[in-house]
Amino acid sequence: MTNTISVKDFNLDQIVLGSCSNWQLTFETAEDVEGTIPLRVVKGASAGPTLLILAAVHGDEYDGVQTVVELCNELTPEKINGTVLMVPITNKLSYEGISRETPLDGRNLAREFPGNPEGTYTQRLAWHLDQTLLAKADFLLDFHSGGMIASVPTLVGYYHNDEHEHGRRSRAAAEAFGVDTIWAHSTVGPGRTVSRATDRGIPWLYTETEGGRRVCIEGQQQYRKGTYRLLHHLDMLREPEAWLSEEASRAIKYRLYGDGNFDLSLTSKEEGFFIPSVKLLDEVKAGDLIGIIYGLFGEIKEKVISPQDGIMIGITVMPKVDKGGIICAITQAFPEEMRA
């Protein structure tokens, strides 16, 4: 059974302990469409933290959706302490349009927080997510992946700030998540779910994996296992041995550093067929060849050169590139002096 209710009338505090419920939270928009937020609420038999899990903030990213679907089938009130809030498809219109942006207004939900209650569809969606769900959370887990834009290594990103409690908690959670690549962000650009969580003093993680308009099974299963490790880390699993497999979490192999904004990726000057010369997580130096854009008969149209030293964190999944199209993203290794 799914309960349909205006987001303005939804009250998480009125949902009793030991219950599991499905909700369609609706909101009015300035356009000729009703806004909706699908929500699963699992309240454990005993009080504890509230974990908010989001998937499909971008509608062409599916690994998080599958993970939330699996969690909806597995997490029941008797198995947890506290509350798990799960949104399987955060931006329904973007999901239906198989796009990064909302087709209705052309806006990227991941750049609109804290939103605007009187704005466009995407701005209002961000507002209600922030006011109704994020405001109630003690921890945020936001599932992303490369989508149609880029291939990205499986990683977890976190807020790196050892001067503040939510920064320390974010780092500890990233290290507990169990993937071999973690990406530290001392600063995060405005408008994102995670930047809004930072504003609220809420620790957070987000994930990335290959993308490509499909589910990367290996990466998606790391999401699922990582979520259970996170629940255990937050003392939310009542019987962790039943959920944590004997397979050890992966040792951290890559510690990366940067702002995590793929909108600032390196772009092409020419259109054509791109053949990369590097792989994900390769180290590059300024002046190194990233790849070549060819014409139809093998003529070189552009040699794509790295503008900086760093590590390859994203490469386009589309060999056909347009002028001004995204080619790759480069970040830095985590500074040695910050490792303590």
Side-chain angles (χ1 to χ4, degrees):
M1 175 182 173
T2 299
N3 305 285
T4 300
I5 188 173
S6 169
V7 68
K8 296 177 181 179
D9 297 326
F10 177 75
N11 189 336
L12 180 62
D13 297 330
Q14 291 182 351
I15 299 177
V16 299
L17 293 174
S19 68
C20 181
S21 53
N22 299 325
W23 300 83
Q24 283 284 359
L25 308 182
T26 65
F27 59 93
E28 295 180 355
T29 72
E31 299 85 0
D32 188 23
V33 63
E34 183 179 59
T36 62
I37 303 169
L39 174 67
R40 164 68 68 92
V41 179
V42 183
K43 277 203 170 185
S46 59
T50 295
L51 171 64
L52 172 60
I53 302 176
L54 303 178
V57 166
H58 294 134
D60 61 343
E61 300 175 4
Y62 303 116
D63 305 84
V65 178
Q66 179 167 328
T67 304
V68 172
V69 168
E70 292 173 349
L71 292 170
C72 285
N73 281 321
E74 294 169 355
L75 285 180
T76 55
E78 65 272 12
K79 295 170 183 174
I80 65 168
N81 302 311
T83 301
V84 180
L85 306 175
M86 292 182 277
V87 183
I89 299 172
T90 305
N91 189 342
K92 181 174 179 286
L93 295 187
S94 175
Y95 178 81
E96 291 175 346
I98 316 176
S99 61
R100 184 173 174 85
E101 291 79 25
T102 308
L104 193 62
D105 59 13
R107 292 180 178 271
N108 179 350
L109 177 59
R111 301 295 181 269
E112 293 295 338
F113 285 82
N116 179 352
E118 303 299 326
T120 68
Y121 181 95
T122 308
Q123 292 172 320
R124 294 190 190 204
L125 174 58
W127 170 265
H128 290 300
L129 287 165
D130 176 50
Q131 296 293 313
T132 305
L133 300 180
L134 190 56
K136 294 290 186 179
D138 298 303
F139 201 103
L140 169 66
L141 174 60
D142 189 355
F143 289 126
H144 285 265
S145 59
M148 292 189 292
I149 294 178
S151 180
V152 185
T154 302
L155 62 85
V156 61
Y158 74 96
Y159 179 49
H160 185 87
N161 187 336
D162 288 337
E163 299 299 316
H164 292 277
E165 176 66 18
H166 57 288
R168 293 190 293 270
R169 290 181 61 199
S170 293
R171 180 176 181 174
E175 293 174 346
F177 198 80
V179 297
D180 63 12
T181 302
I182 65 174
W183 198 2
H185 307 300
S186 293
T187 59
V188 180
R192 298 173 63 181
T193 58
V194 295
S195 56
R196 184 57 177 160
T198 299
D199 293 341
R200 288 186 174 276
I202 298 169
W204 53 262
L205 299 177
Y206 76 89
T207 64
E208 297 283 359
T209 195
E210 286 186 17
R213 202 170 168 176
R214 62 185 176 84
V215 172
C216 169
I217 295 301
E218 181 180 357
Q220 185 273 322
Q221 284 303 298
Q222 289 190 60
Y223 283 12
R224 179 180 171 277
K225 294 173 184 176
T227 302
Y228 280 107
R229 293 187 185 109
L230 176 61
L231 286 164
H232 180 47
H233 176 74
L234 297 174
D235 294 323
M236 294 181 69
L237 280 184
R238 295 177 68 87
E239 297 181 359
E241 63 279 0
W243 298 103
L244 302 180
S245 68
E246 295 180 359
E247 175 190 355
S249 60
R250 302 187 180 201
I252 297 172
K253 185 176 180 181
Y254 300 95
R255 289 182 181 268
L256 309 178
Y257 186 75
D259 64 6
N261 187 354
F262 283 94
D263 289 348
L264 302 178
S265 299
L266 185 65
T267 58
S268 61
K269 298 181 179 66
E270 300 289 341
E271 65 176 14
F273 193 93
F274 175 68
I275 300 179
S277 303
V278 295
K279 304 184 301 298
L280 291 174
L281 297 173
D282 278 355
E283 289 190 39
V284 295
K285 299 291 185 183
D288 283 355
L289 181 67
I290 299 296
I292 296 176
I293 299 174
Y294 292 94
L296 290 179
F297 300 104
E299 69 274 24
I300 294 175
K301 300 187 71 175
E302 180 186 351
K303 291 184 177 180
V304 181
I305 303 300
S306 176
Q308 65 188 78
D309 296 352
I311 296 172
M312 299 301 303
I313 194 63
I315 302 175
T316 178
V317 296
M318 289 288 290
K320 177 189 178 300
V321 295
D322 297 322
K323 187 176 181 179
I326 287 177
I327 295 293
C328 67
I330 303 171
T331 193
Q332 291 79 47
F334 193 77
E336 289 290 338
E337 63 270 19
M338 296 174 62
R339 289 179 182 261

